[in-house]
Amino acid sequence: LLSNSLYHLTLFTFFLALVHFLSEVFIYRTAALTIGVMAPLMVASFSILGMLIGLQYLEVEALSQNKKKN
């Protein structure tokens, strides 16, 4: 239960970081699209993709552990 909550919290944090940097570049225009801004955008994007893929395995594992208990 704790690891599942922590996983979702981490995923939310990457979404928050992605939205923050995208808003700095495209909405507020306070940052230029340089390597210094592109690096966190890429890290957040790839992390979100990886975590969404991993979330499927986390849910499958939770279901299999639930079946073992019953």
Side-chain angles (χ1 to χ4, degrees):
L1 181 65
L2 178 64
S3 64
N4 199 5
S5 298
L6 186 60
Y7 198 91
H8 285 98
L9 182 63
T10 306
L11 182 59
F12 173 74
T13 304
F14 281 119
F15 271 117
L16 190 64
L18 183 64
V19 168
H20 168 72
F21 282 102
L22 286 173
S23 68
E24 288 286 336
V25 173
F26 295 111
I27 296 173
Y28 300 113
R29 300 195 189 275
T30 54
L33 201 57
T34 62
I35 190 68
V37 174
M38 288 177 57
L41 285 173
M42 291 188 328
V43 168
S45 299
F46 291 139
S47 297
I48 289 169
L49 286 174
M51 290 191 76
L52 287 175
I53 292 168
L55 187 61
Q56 295 173 355
Y57 293 106
L58 187 67
E59 291 173 353
V60 168
E61 182 181 333
L63 286 175
S64 67
Q65 287 180 356
N66 210 7
K67 286 182 182 178
K68 288 180 184 178
K69 290 180 183 178
N70 294 332

